[in-house]
Amino acid sequence: MIKVGIVGGTGYTGVELLRILANHPDVKVDVITSRSEDGIKVADMFPNLRGHYDLAFTVPDVERLASCDVVFFATPHGVAMRMAPELVALGVRVIDLGADFRIKDIDLWSRWYGMEHTAAALVEQAVYGLPEVNREQIRSAQMIACPGCYPTAAQLGFLPLIENDLVDTRRLVADCKSGVSGAGRGASVGALLCETSESMKAYGVAGHRHLPEIKQGLSVAAGRSVGLTFVPHLTPMIRGIHATLYSVLKDPNDGLQALFESRYADEPFVDVMPPGSHPETRSVKGANICRISVFRPQDDDTVVVLSVIDNLVKGAAGQAVQNMNIMFGLDERAGLNQVGLMP
Amino acid sequence: MIKVGIVGGTGYTGVELLRILANHPDVKVDVITSRSEDGIKVADMFPNLRGHYDLAFTVPDVERLASCDVVFFATPHGVAMRMAPELVALGVRVIDLGADFRIKDIDLWSRWYGMEHTAAALVEQAVYGLPEVNREQIRSAQMIACPGCYPTAAQLGFLPLIENDLVDTRRLVADCKSGVSGAGRGASVGALLCETSESMKAYGVAGHRHLPEIKQGLSVAAGRSVGLTFVPHLTPMIRGIHATLYSVLKDPNDGLQALFESRYADEPFVDVMPPGSHPETRSVKGANICRISVFRPQDDDTVVVLSVIDNLVKGAAGQAVQNMNIMFGLDERAGLNQVGLMP
Amino acid sequence: MIKVGIVGGTGYTGVELLRILANHPDVKVDVITSRSEDGIKVADMFPNLRGHYDLAFTVPDVERLASCDVVFFATPHGVAMRMAPELVALGVRVIDLGADFRIKDIDLWSRWYGMEHTAAALVEQAVYGLPEVNREQIRSAQMIACPGCYPTAAQLGFLPLIENDLVDTRRLVADCKSGVSGAGRGASVGALLCETSESMKAYGVAGHRHLPEIKQGLSVAAGRSVGLTFVPHLTPMIRGIHATLYSVLKDPNDGLQALFESRYADEPFVDVMPPGSHPETRSVKGANICRISVFRPQDDDTVVVLSVIDNLVKGAAGQAVQNMNIMFGLDERAGLNQVGLMP
Amino acid sequence: MIKVGIVGGTGYTGVELLRILANHPDVKVDVITSRSEDGIKVADMFPNLRGHYDLAFTVPDVERLASCDVVFFATPHGVAMRMAPELVALGVRVIDLGADFRIKDIDLWSRWYGMEHTAAALVEQAVYGLPEVNREQIRSAQMIACPGCYPTAAQLGFLPLIENDLVDTRRLVADCKSGVSGAGRGASVGALLCETSESMKAYGVAGHRHLPEIKQGLSVAAGRSVGLTFVPHLTPMIRGIHATLYSVLKDPNDGLQALFESRYADEPFVDVMPPGSHPETRSVKGANICRISVFRPQDDDTVVVLSVIDNLVKGAAGQAVQNMNIMFGLDERAGLNQVGLMP
């Protein structure tokens, strides 16, 4: 059994990791840390875990974490960069669900995240954990930077078009809608039911931290810098991201459906829907899957891609487990066979 | 008191008309028709109206309706075009909340709505009831075609840019999110709580009936045919439309905020928000107002306009009453002073 | 115009007072206080008020408040009892939406609210602002203690039975369901959308602060101390309270419907529904009304009363305005003509 | 592998059976019937099943179903009673998720369900599939009547009290709250998002079909006929039942917590929460578990039991699979290890 440690298990990505790993055949969660909840059983904090875990939170301790084969960081940015280097040096494999290792340009990271980066060397070494792009590097990686939720949905939707140089990459548009769990489990007025239910709003239109991440990924795929307008929206639901992606074809193209199907034919967790389908976020609720449709409305030159994920699963904890499976040579699907909860 | 008739009062726009008119100082609802609910009191069907109306539904009858000063049609398409011509001929003023008189090109209408049009002459005569564009014609109009909900939000957001020829009109994008009440009160699996709650999806990406209507309005404003990609989304809430509008500036422009403020300075029901604001649909819940923000993210050449309305108010019943107020020389705000219900 | 002051206008009952008073014909809100938001315009904090108020928050100041004819306290318990005595002494009439003056037994209050009471004399003088019971005393009152939300729904439902000594008052049961706005606008994990949406739970089963308040009101009506089991539940919606009330008839009785209709025949804001009706909280959303149904299932001796209100309106701000109207000899309905927002 | 047939797979209990069985190690779904969807793949109808099933709906055919080891009926009442007798005669084991075989008194059944019963003999033979009561009989049963959703939550909550004769059984109260999925997947105005969201209402107060079922189960436990007031409520969420159960102790009793813990100590799918806990329905979302708390508020003689389930899992499909596991000598937990989806 692979011994797993989790740093920062009291947020939504932490409890989601626990939910997924509870039924993983090859792992055992050995350590879970929380400074504030030291001594509390995870099942007392999250009653859905009653009967599945006897584990209690402990204060973060590198020595104890170093006894694990792999450590997940389910922490806000700024935490993993302080602890990961020592763990990596001790031979532990690290998977960061946060943002510390996603952006290769350290200065760019510092500008968007408002702090100095303290582990630049490890950023260079880290592999961006989008298996559909970097599966081979993930196998041998010691440090994984799990993609953000919006970046996962947006990149998987745009990649087939951009890798094949089919669209004008100067003015891509990603209009993205997220459930409220993306805002985390912290107490904030803005995430109260009474502030978010029965309402829709955009936020961060002037600039959102996932913008440079998406641009980085798409620029790598394009082989040149891309231009992107990214508008996230807060949607009155718990889970789910719906990315609606707009780009303009360079040349007429009737083969987009086939292109998408072929691009993802061997991917266990990307599902290209039949022509004309509109994927619903509820079809992926609780499941590690990205469902995609591609349209060319009115047979014109604008391509519309619809891409949906569960932000806590394929957008966070599920993708992290998928990375772990690849890193440890397990079946990539192990522990990730959940069917979306519908209705 | 102005005598009001309502045809088709059992749907959501019908009950919303009743809610708004209940507190209108200058009108009295005299007739409300429903073939299926003949004899039933409106307050028995819609208990929120208890204490406000003693009125009962009757079967539609032109003679009886002809005794009214104004008749609202809150009916599916195809109904108003059969009854309105006779009422208009009898001198009654007619306000259609449905789609029959919105599209000037009869063939285009027939293609999108899948039926022959039986009142082409009246289409020509009808005024498109968007007061922010056609206030003067509305004053003397006998037949008003109330704009659709998406078209209201999209046009009010795009108009300042297009009227001033600031953006490339070949590839406009309107990514629109609507609450489920837009689907009406008919029994359908697709609008069940269990099918729509906790989920987000696009629909009609290949083509939606509001596409030609928005294009018609924007083309008039532009003085030439515009190109538009319109993607509506079903959002898990009852009321509200959030339009996120993308266009590309022809030339650098730092004056968009001032332009929008100036365009709508005298409009009682369009509210241009301060720079950097993100309007929420809940701020307009139950209120006849369109709130708009304009952004130029990263100071680039893509303009993002956010435009929110309550689809049942400024997108339907409220706008209809606003038209009535203008037609009858009343205070345009009469009966429309509701404050949005927040939270 | 009556000059109104509001202390503590940043919570949900505060913004709801502003919404209701915006369309009240006889009042002007002159002062609104908030220590934390000093200088901020109310419409910047609550965009639904844009166009309705130019007012800004100021720090609480007794002198300034003393220039008002009436001051509403929309504050947590413990605030009004410190400021109200001075205002009352200066001749200002005070309406407390909080809990400080509801419980006549000071020791009981202290036990449930966990603090000493600093204005015991004013408690004695205060009138419990349930107009359906105390209308005459309210007319001349200088200090009003507005009932809590659960107590309003529960008392209005039980009163006809208890005033007429029809049921066993030793074991009343009030199973009550509330929307999340009852938890207020403070940042707390427990009121996040992700914690409350798509879920139902009871809370405070061992004891809730509204228990002694309901018992006090019902005991006054009964002329003896009553026994009550009160179980509040958190319901995944913003507004609304649904009280389901159980009691056992002393003697067979077929006249309950008539009894309820007669008890509330002259009440402008209590609506006894037709026999067999099930009132929905949405029928009172945004409206100052309590809708009630009474059943005797299987013609047995257990009476079931269903009583619904909007917790922020008839359960708080609307009832406060109703009290003000009575106190100042205005039409009791002034400013309270809103129709419930349905759908 | 056990060969499974499902009759009526297009409703919510049908798709939930498919979701659960997709990860069951010992079964294969071989036949699924739907008259209206003949030839349609289940994964085309329910996209959450894409990648998990290649199966298509076929018209119901007894011969084909007879090739299965077990057939589940996920049908409205009236269907199973027509097909089950033949299947049972052919040696197939049948599990009915509907109501046809739940009530032993045929006349009573006919009165509540409004039709003649056509399989009275099989009713007598059928075992009521509540494993916590009838595990031994289930092992050898050929015909299982799965309990209704409300009856499961209510009985599991009341049983320890009633089996031990601790409470007055003449006047039990079950105040129950259900998510909208309990209303099924049929198109109906009453289950639209716009009619059920943001609202709470009771229904069926005068009489609901689950009343005789709960009374039957509790009467068996009591050894005498019990009196019950049952009030179901429609709650604005998809899944979940919260039963709040009231009864009056015959004698003072401080041992209720221990009693409940002991009663369910060996039950894999009943979880007695620690004293003072309030179980949330979201903690069981998607999971086959009933969570229960017991209170004696104010140390008085009224007992309050809180009992929560997912109506589609422990209240329907999960319990059906639990029955199947018992019938076929499998691990009772097989396929039922899902952790509740929280948030």
Side-chain angles (χ1 to χ4, degrees):
Chain A
M1 298 292 270
I2 294 166
K3 286 174 67 178
V4 166
I6 299 175
V7 178
T10 64
Y12 290 142
T13 53
V15 63
E16 190 68 355
L17 264 178
L18 290 170
R19 182 182 73 89
I20 292 170
L21 295 175
N23 287 321
H24 194 296
D26 305 311
V27 309
K28 181 173 179 308
V29 181
D30 220 52
V31 185
I32 186 160
T33 78
S34 162
R35 213 169 285 279
S36 61
E37 307 296 330
D38 182 30
I40 304 290
K41 294 205 166 182
V42 296
D44 286 347
M45 186 155 189
F46 299 114
N48 62 325
L49 301 176
R50 285 173 62 86
H52 296 277
Y53 285 96
D54 196 45
L55 195 69
F57 292 106
T58 54
V59 291
D61 174 69
V62 169
E63 208 166 318
R64 201 150 167 219
L65 289 166
S67 71
C68 297
D69 299 302
V70 58
V71 170
F72 293 92
F73 281 84
T75 47
H77 64 270
V79 174
M81 72 180 181
R82 288 196 300 271
M83 295 177 66
E86 194 174 349
L87 289 169
V88 167
L90 291 165
V92 180
R93 299 177 92 170
V94 172
I95 299 175
D96 182 18
L97 282 74
D100 292 3
F101 298 93
R102 292 175 188 161
I103 305 282
K104 292 296 181 187
D105 179 334
I106 296 290
D107 292 339
L108 186 67
W109 189 90
S110 293
R111 275 205 305 282
W112 282 96
Y113 287 89
M115 58 175 72
E116 287 304 297
H117 205 293
T118 62
L122 195 51
V123 170
E124 204 170 329
Q125 183 188 332
V127 174
Y128 187 68
L130 194 61
E132 293 76 8
V133 174
N134 293 328
R135 185 171 282 108
E136 287 315 306
Q137 298 95 301
I138 292 168
R139 284 192 209 290
S140 54
Q142 232 206 316
M143 175 77 223
I144 293 286
C146 262
C149 49
Y150 288 123
T152 297
Q155 290 176 81
L156 292 176
F158 270 134
L159 280 175
L161 299 171
I162 288 179
E163 290 171 344
N164 293 284
D165 201 15
L166 300 182
V167 295
D168 181 349
T169 53
R170 291 170 306 167
R171 288 200 200 80
L172 304 169
V173 170
D175 187 291
C176 296
K177 300 88 178 168
S178 173
V180 182
S181 61
R185 197 170 158 273
S188 73
V189 172
L192 295 177
L193 178 132
C194 294
E195 301 288 312
T196 53
S197 180
E198 282 296 303
S199 193
M200 183 81 187
K201 69 163 182 177
Y203 66 100
V205 179
H208 182 284
R209 286 165 174 169
H210 285 177
L211 174 66
E213 182 183 343
I214 304 171
K215 285 181 73 168
Q216 170 182 281
L218 298 182
S219 295
V220 168
R224 64 179 172 275
S225 181
V226 307
L228 173 70
T229 299
F230 166 53
V231 178
H233 298 74
L234 196 61
T235 307
M237 59 188 185
I238 298 174
R239 289 165 179 252
I241 282 183
H242 188 294
T244 313
L245 309 170
Y246 302 88
S247 57
V248 177
L249 283 172
K250 293 174 162 182
D251 299 296
N253 191 317
D254 285 332
L256 298 180
Q257 176 74 22
L259 172 77
F260 273 70
E261 290 179 0
S262 145
R263 171 62 177 84
Y264 293 122
D266 297 330
E267 286 300 337
F269 297 117
V270 181
D271 175 20
V272 178
M273 305 275 290
S277 302
H278 300 93
E280 305 174 68
T281 62
R282 68 188 185 120
S283 82
V284 302
K285 191 162 52 185
N288 191 57
I289 188 94
C290 176
R291 294 214 153 90
I292 294 180
S293 288
V294 56
F295 289 83
R296 208 150 57 72
Q298 317 295 308
D299 295 327
D300 214 329
D301 61 359
T302 296
V303 182
V304 178
V305 179
L306 313 175
S307 167
V308 306
I309 58 169
D310 182 326
N311 53 307
L312 296 180
V313 190
K314 183 62 179 166
Q319 187 145 267
V321 172
Q322 187 182 353
N323 273 281
M324 179 194 72
N325 288 344
I326 297 170
M327 292 164 87
F328 287 85
L330 307 173
D331 178 353
E332 192 168 331
R333 302 171 194 251
L336 296 171
N337 58 349
Q338 301 90 351
V339 182
L341 197 68
M342 189 174 136
Chain B
M1 297 293 271
I2 294 166
K3 287 174 66 178
V4 166
I6 299 175
V7 178
T10 63
Y12 290 142
T13 54
V15 63
E16 189 68 354
L17 264 178
L18 290 169
R19 182 181 73 89
I20 291 170
L21 294 175
N23 287 321
H24 194 296
D26 306 310
V27 309
K28 181 174 180 305
V29 181
D30 220 53
V31 185
I32 186 160
T33 76
S34 162
R35 212 168 287 278
S36 60
E37 307 296 331
D38 181 31
I40 304 291
K41 295 205 165 181
V42 297
D44 286 348
M45 186 155 189
F46 300 113
N48 61 326
L49 302 176
R50 285 173 62 87
H52 296 276
Y53 284 96
D54 196 45
L55 195 69
F57 293 106
T58 54
V59 291
D61 173 69
V62 168
E63 207 165 320
R64 197 143 174 225
L65 289 166
S67 71
C68 297
D69 300 301
V70 59
V71 170
F72 293 92
F73 281 84
T75 45
H77 64 271
V79 175
M81 71 181 180
R82 288 195 300 271
M83 295 179 64
E86 193 173 349
L87 289 169
V88 167
L90 290 165
V92 180
R93 299 177 93 171
V94 172
I95 299 174
D96 181 19
L97 282 74
D100 291 3
F101 297 94
R102 292 175 188 161
I103 305 282
K104 291 297 181 186
D105 179 334
I106 296 289
D107 291 340
L108 187 67
W109 189 91
S110 293
R111 276 206 304 282
W112 281 95
Y113 287 89
M115 58 174 71
E116 288 304 298
H117 204 293
T118 63
L122 195 51
V123 170
E124 205 170 330
Q125 183 189 333
V127 174
Y128 187 69
L130 194 62
E132 292 77 8
V133 174
N134 293 327
R135 185 171 283 106
E136 286 316 307
Q137 297 94 302
I138 292 167
R139 285 192 209 289
S140 55
Q142 232 204 319
M143 175 77 223
I144 293 286
C146 263
C149 49
Y150 288 123
T152 297
Q155 290 177 83
L156 291 176
F158 271 133
L159 280 175
L161 299 172
I162 290 178
E163 290 171 346
N164 293 285
D165 201 15
L166 300 182
V167 295
D168 181 348
T169 53
R170 291 170 307 168
R171 288 197 200 85
L172 305 167
V173 171
D175 187 290
C176 296
K177 299 89 176 167
S178 173
V180 182
S181 61
R185 199 170 156 272
S188 73
V189 172
L192 295 177
L193 178 132
C194 295
E195 301 288 312
T196 53
S197 180
E198 281 296 305
S199 193
M200 183 80 188
K201 69 163 182 177
Y203 65 101
V205 179
H208 181 284
R209 286 165 174 169
H210 285 176
L211 173 67
E213 182 184 343
I214 304 171
K215 284 180 73 168
Q216 170 183 280
L218 298 182
S219 296
V220 168
R224 63 178 173 277
S225 181
V226 306
L228 173 70
T229 300
F230 167 54
V231 178
H233 299 73
L234 196 61
T235 307
M237 59 188 186
I238 298 174
R239 289 165 179 251
I241 282 184
H242 188 295
T244 313
L245 309 171
Y246 302 88
S247 58
V248 177
L249 284 171
K250 293 175 162 183
D251 299 296
N253 191 317
D254 285 332
L256 298 181
Q257 177 74 22
L259 172 78
F260 273 71
E261 288 180 2
S262 146
R263 172 62 177 86
Y264 292 122
D266 296 330
E267 285 301 336
F269 297 117
V270 181
D271 175 21
V272 178
M273 306 274 290
S277 303
H278 299 94
E280 305 174 67
T281 62
R282 68 189 184 120
S283 81
V284 302
K285 191 162 51 185
N288 191 57
I289 188 95
C290 176
R291 295 214 152 90
I292 293 181
S293 287
V294 56
F295 288 83
R296 208 151 57 71
Q298 317 294 309
D299 294 327
D300 214 330
D301 62 359
T302 295
V303 182
V304 178
V305 179
L306 313 176
S307 168
V308 305
I309 58 170
D310 182 326
N311 54 306
L312 296 180
V313 191
K314 183 62 179 165
Q319 188 146 264
V321 172
Q322 187 182 354
N323 273 281
M324 180 194 73
N325 288 345
I326 297 169
M327 292 164 86
F328 286 85
L330 307 173
D331 178 354
E332 192 168 330
R333 302 170 195 249
L336 296 172
N337 57 348
Q338 300 90 351
V339 182
L341 197 69
M342 188 173 137
Chain C
M1 298 291 271
I2 294 165
K3 287 174 68 179
V4 166
I6 299 175
V7 178
T10 64
Y12 290 142
T13 53
V15 63
E16 190 68 356
L17 264 179
L18 289 170
R19 182 181 73 88
I20 291 170
L21 294 175
N23 287 321
H24 194 296
D26 305 312
V27 309
K28 182 172 178 307
V29 181
D30 220 51
V31 185
I32 185 160
T33 77
S34 162
R35 214 168 285 278
S36 61
E37 308 295 331
D38 182 31
I40 304 290
K41 293 203 165 181
V42 296
D44 285 349
M45 186 155 189
F46 299 113
N48 62 325
L49 301 176
R50 284 173 63 87
H52 295 277
Y53 284 96
D54 198 45
L55 194 71
F57 293 106
T58 53
V59 291
D61 174 70
V62 168
E63 207 165 320
R64 204 154 163 214
L65 288 165
S67 71
C68 296
D69 299 302
V70 59
V71 170
F72 293 92
F73 282 84
T75 46
H77 64 271
V79 175
M81 72 180 179
R82 288 195 300 270
M83 294 179 66
E86 194 174 350
L87 288 169
V88 167
L90 291 165
V92 180
R93 300 176 92 170
V94 172
I95 300 173
D96 182 18
L97 282 74
D100 292 4
F101 299 92
R102 292 175 188 161
I103 305 283
K104 292 296 180 188
D105 179 335
I106 296 290
D107 291 340
L108 187 66
W109 189 91
S110 293
R111 276 205 304 282
W112 282 96
Y113 287 89
M115 57 175 71
E116 287 304 297
H117 205 294
T118 63
L122 196 49
V123 170
E124 203 170 330
Q125 182 187 333
V127 174
Y128 188 68
L130 193 62
E132 292 77 8
V133 173
N134 294 327
R135 185 171 282 109
E136 286 316 307
Q137 298 95 302
I138 292 167
R139 286 193 209 287
S140 55
Q142 232 204 318
M143 175 77 223
I144 294 286
C146 263
C149 49
Y150 288 122
T152 297
Q155 289 176 82
L156 291 176
F158 270 133
L159 281 175
L161 298 172
I162 289 178
E163 290 170 346
N164 293 284
D165 201 14
L166 300 183
V167 296
D168 180 348
T169 53
R170 291 170 305 166
R171 287 198 201 83
L172 305 169
V173 171
D175 187 291
C176 296
K177 300 89 177 168
S178 173
V180 182
S181 61
R185 199 171 156 271
S188 73
V189 172
L192 296 177
L193 178 132
C194 294
E195 301 288 313
T196 52
S197 181
E198 284 295 307
S199 193
M200 184 78 189
K201 69 164 182 178
Y203 65 101
V205 178
H208 182 284
R209 286 166 174 168
H210 285 176
L211 174 66
E213 182 184 343
I214 304 171
K215 284 180 74 167
Q216 170 183 280
L218 298 183
S219 296
V220 168
R224 64 179 170 274
S225 181
V226 307
L228 173 70
T229 300
F230 166 54
V231 178
H233 298 74
L234 196 61
T235 307
M237 59 188 186
I238 298 174
R239 288 166 179 251
I241 282 183
H242 188 294
T244 313
L245 309 170
Y246 302 87
S247 57
V248 177
L249 283 171
K250 294 175 162 183
D251 298 295
N253 191 318
D254 286 331
L256 298 181
Q257 177 73 24
L259 172 77
F260 273 71
E261 289 179 1
S262 146
R263 171 62 177 86
Y264 293 123
D266 297 329
E267 285 301 335
F269 297 117
V270 180
D271 175 20
V272 177
M273 307 275 290
S277 302
H278 300 94
E280 306 174 67
T281 62
R282 68 189 185 120
S283 82
V284 302
K285 192 163 52 185
N288 191 57
I289 188 95
C290 176
R291 294 215 153 91
I292 294 180
S293 287
V294 56
F295 288 83
R296 207 151 56 73
Q298 318 296 309
D299 295 326
D300 215 329
D301 62 0
T302 296
V303 182
V304 179
V305 179
L306 313 176
S307 167
V308 305
I309 59 170
D310 182 326
N311 55 307
L312 296 180
V313 191
K314 183 61 178 167
Q319 186 145 268
V321 172
Q322 187 182 352
N323 274 282
M324 179 193 73
N325 289 344
I326 297 169
M327 292 163 87
F328 286 85
L330 307 174
D331 178 354
E332 191 167 332
R333 302 171 195 250
L336 296 172
N337 58 348
Q338 301 90 351
V339 182
L341 196 68
M342 187 174 137
Chain D
M1 298 293 271
I2 294 165
K3 286 174 67 179
V4 165
I6 299 175
V7 178
T10 64
Y12 290 143
T13 54
V15 63
E16 190 68 355
L17 264 178
L18 289 170
R19 182 181 74 88
I20 292 169
L21 294 175
N23 286 321
H24 195 295
D26 305 310
V27 308
K28 183 174 178 305
V29 181
D30 220 52
V31 185
I32 186 160
T33 77
S34 162
R35 212 168 286 279
S36 60
E37 307 295 332
D38 182 31
I40 304 291
K41 293 203 166 182
V42 296
D44 286 349
M45 187 155 188
F46 300 114
N48 62 326
L49 302 176
R50 285 173 62 87
H52 296 277
Y53 284 96
D54 197 45
L55 194 71
F57 292 106
T58 54
V59 291
D61 174 70
V62 168
E63 207 165 321
R64 197 143 175 226
L65 288 165
S67 72
C68 297
D69 299 301
V70 59
V71 170
F72 294 92
F73 281 84
T75 46
H77 64 271
V79 175
M81 72 181 180
R82 287 196 300 271
M83 295 178 66
E86 194 174 348
L87 289 169
V88 167
L90 290 166
V92 180
R93 300 176 92 170
V94 173
I95 300 174
D96 182 19
L97 283 74
D100 291 5
F101 298 93
R102 292 175 188 162
I103 305 282
K104 292 296 180 187
D105 179 333
I106 296 290
D107 291 340
L108 187 66
W109 188 91
S110 293
R111 275 206 304 282
W112 281 95
Y113 288 89
M115 57 175 72
E116 288 304 298
H117 205 293
T118 62
L122 196 50
V123 170
E124 204 170 331
Q125 181 188 336
V127 174
Y128 188 68
L130 193 62
E132 292 76 8
V133 173
N134 294 327
R135 186 171 282 108
E136 287 316 306
Q137 299 92 302
I138 291 168
R139 286 193 209 288
S140 54
Q142 231 204 320
M143 175 76 223
I144 294 286
C146 263
C149 49
Y150 288 122
T152 297
Q155 289 176 80
L156 291 176
F158 270 134
L159 280 175
L161 299 172
I162 290 178
E163 290 170 347
N164 293 284
D165 202 14
L166 300 183
V167 295
D168 180 349
T169 53
R170 290 170 307 167
R171 288 199 200 82
L172 305 168
V173 170
D175 187 290
C176 296
K177 300 88 176 168
S178 173
V180 183
S181 61
R185 197 170 157 273
S188 73
V189 171
L192 295 178
L193 178 132
C194 295
E195 301 289 312
T196 52
S197 180
E198 282 296 306
S199 194
M200 184 80 188
K201 69 163 181 177
Y203 66 101
V205 179
H208 181 284
R209 286 165 174 169
H210 285 176
L211 173 67
E213 182 183 343
I214 303 172
K215 284 181 73 168
Q216 170 184 279
L218 297 182
S219 296
V220 168
R224 63 178 171 276
S225 181
V226 307
L228 173 71
T229 300
F230 167 54
V231 178
H233 298 74
L234 196 60
T235 308
M237 60 187 185
I238 298 175
R239 289 167 179 251
I241 282 183
H242 188 294
T244 313
L245 309 171
Y246 302 88
S247 57
V248 177
L249 283 171
K250 294 175 161 183
D251 298 296
N253 191 317
D254 287 330
L256 299 181
Q257 177 73 23
L259 172 77
F260 273 70
E261 289 179 2
S262 146
R263 172 62 177 86
Y264 293 122
D266 297 328
E267 285 300 336
F269 297 117
V270 180
D271 175 20
V272 178
M273 306 274 291
S277 304
H278 299 94
E280 305 175 67
T281 62
R282 68 189 185 119
S283 82
V284 302
K285 192 163 51 184
N288 191 58
I289 189 96
C290 175
R291 295 215 152 90
I292 293 181
S293 288
V294 57
F295 289 84
R296 207 152 55 74
Q298 317 296 309
D299 295 327
D300 214 330
D301 62 359
T302 296
V303 181
V304 179
V305 179
L306 314 176
S307 167
V308 305
I309 59 169
D310 182 327
N311 54 307
L312 296 180
V313 191
K314 184 62 178 165
Q319 187 145 267
V321 172
Q322 186 182 353
N323 274 282
M324 179 194 73
N325 288 344
I326 297 169
M327 292 164 87
F328 286 85
L330 307 174
D331 177 354
E332 192 167 331
R333 302 172 196 248
L336 296 172
N337 58 349
Q338 301 90 350
V339 181
L341 196 68
M342 188 174 136

